[in-house]
Amino acid sequence: EPEVTQTPSHQVTQMGQEVILRCVPISNHLYFYWYRQILGQKVEFLVSFYNNEISEKSEIFDDQFSVERPDGSNFTLKIRSTKLEDSAMYFCASRAASRYEQYFGPGTRLTVT
Amino acid sequence: GQSLEQPSEVTAVEGAIVQINCTYQTSGFYGLSWYQQHDGGAPTFLSYNALDGLEETGRFSSFLSRSDSYGYLLLQELQMKDSASYFCAVGGNNNDMRFGAGTRLTVKP
């Protein structure tokens, strides 16, 4: 069964450094998403992406964040200058057109020290 | 703004039926989804309602009343493996999805 993959599974970085989280959505899906989840808390929407542009972004997704689909398979989230409060699990998700269920990847645990 | 309310914790015994309620206030509404998340895992899709009424998928059913901004997830014949967190989520008109805080379900023998 096709699945969303994410790399790395765990990323440790120092405050102020840039990080890029990578995702490979399911191949025939057209809608892509990034979420984050601070340990023990709810899943928070960051951004959605369709047709090579951002559809919607939350108040969390400020100028420090950017997304890109550099080729036909990868979808990346960049955090330009990480803060301690960016430490969280970051989930990528994708869905097919005219379907509502989103398929989540296993997540990247980001630790900012 | 947007807000979703669901109980923080529910406990039930194996074989029982449990209902997890969700009320929402959103500026745009496209549908109500339910996701399950086991500790350390990723959310997995359970159910979706765009229209009023009941959707059934095996042991799980989900209900929506748009006029009441209310929905619920019904889990029947509870099994130990159903112990997890359950999130309701509202899809908006701009391809976003906002999650509730989650309900932690504990199933006891």
Side-chain angles (χ1 to χ4, degrees):
Chain A
E1 186 176 320
E3 57 184 21
V4 177
T5 59
Q6 290 185 243
T7 53
S9 57
H10 191 189
Q11 173 91 48
V12 181
T13 189
Q14 289 190 324
M15 199 166 51
Q17 296 297 303
E18 174 183 287
V19 293
I20 297 176
L21 310 183
R22 302 180 192 280
C23 168
V24 179
I26 294 173
S27 62
N28 62 342
H29 286 187
L30 298 179
Y31 296 85
F32 314 118
Y33 306 82
W34 281 102
Y35 297 89
R36 79 173 187 192
Q37 187 176 32
I38 296 168
L39 188 63
Q41 298 187 24
K42 69 177 180 181
V43 177
E44 298 176 290
F45 169 79
L46 292 178
V47 66
S48 58
F49 193 87
Y50 170 72
N51 200 25
N52 284 319
E53 59 183 25
I54 291 174
S55 310
E56 179 73 8
K57 56 185 181 179
S58 73
E59 55 283 356
I60 302 169
F61 194 89
D62 61 20
D63 292 344
Q64 294 299 313
F65 291 87
S66 62
V67 289
E68 198 176 38
R69 188 155 163 81
D71 53 44
S73 59
N74 290 283
F75 180 51
T76 62
L77 174 70
K78 181 192 290 185
I79 309 175
R80 210 176 327 275
S81 177
T82 50
K83 309 185 193 68
L84 294 176
E85 54 265 37
D86 293 327
S87 294
M89 182 73 89
Y90 287 81
F91 291 107
C92 172
S94 68
R95 73 172 174 93
S98 75
R99 302 286 300 181
Y100 303 107
E101 61 266 35
Q102 294 187 21
Y103 291 82
F104 282 71
T108 293
R109 178 162 297 286
L110 177 65
T111 303
V112 182
T113 62
Chain B
Q2 299 186 330
S3 69
L4 293 94
E5 298 289 331
Q6 54 182 125
S8 58
E9 292 183 6
V10 172
T11 302
V13 296
E14 256 187 313
I17 298 172
V18 73
Q19 179 173 312
I20 300 173
N21 298 320
C22 175
T23 57
Y24 59 87
Q25 280 187 314
T26 60
S27 52
F29 181 84
Y30 205 73
L32 184 70
S33 300
W34 289 92
Y35 285 78
Q36 178 192 61
Q37 186 180 33
H38 285 99
D39 285 347
T44 56
F45 173 80
L46 291 177
S47 190
Y48 176 80
N49 296 72
L51 303 175
D52 287 0
L54 193 67
E55 293 283 339
E56 296 180 74
T57 312
R59 292 189 297 115
F60 299 114
S61 303
S62 60
F63 172 83
L64 174 66
S65 169
R66 293 175 68 124
S67 59
D68 295 321
S69 298
Y70 163 76
Y72 65 73
L73 179 70
L74 192 73
L75 298 89
Q76 302 181 73
E77 300 172 24
L78 280 175
Q79 301 174 10
M80 298 295 290
K81 67 178 182 180
D82 296 330
S83 292
S85 291
Y86 293 84
F87 295 89
C88 60
V90 167
N93 296 330
N94 292 321
N95 194 29
D96 60 335
M97 192 160 74
R98 311 293 175 139
F99 282 71
T103 298
R104 188 168 189 86
L105 171 65
T106 302
V107 180
K108 296 188 172 179

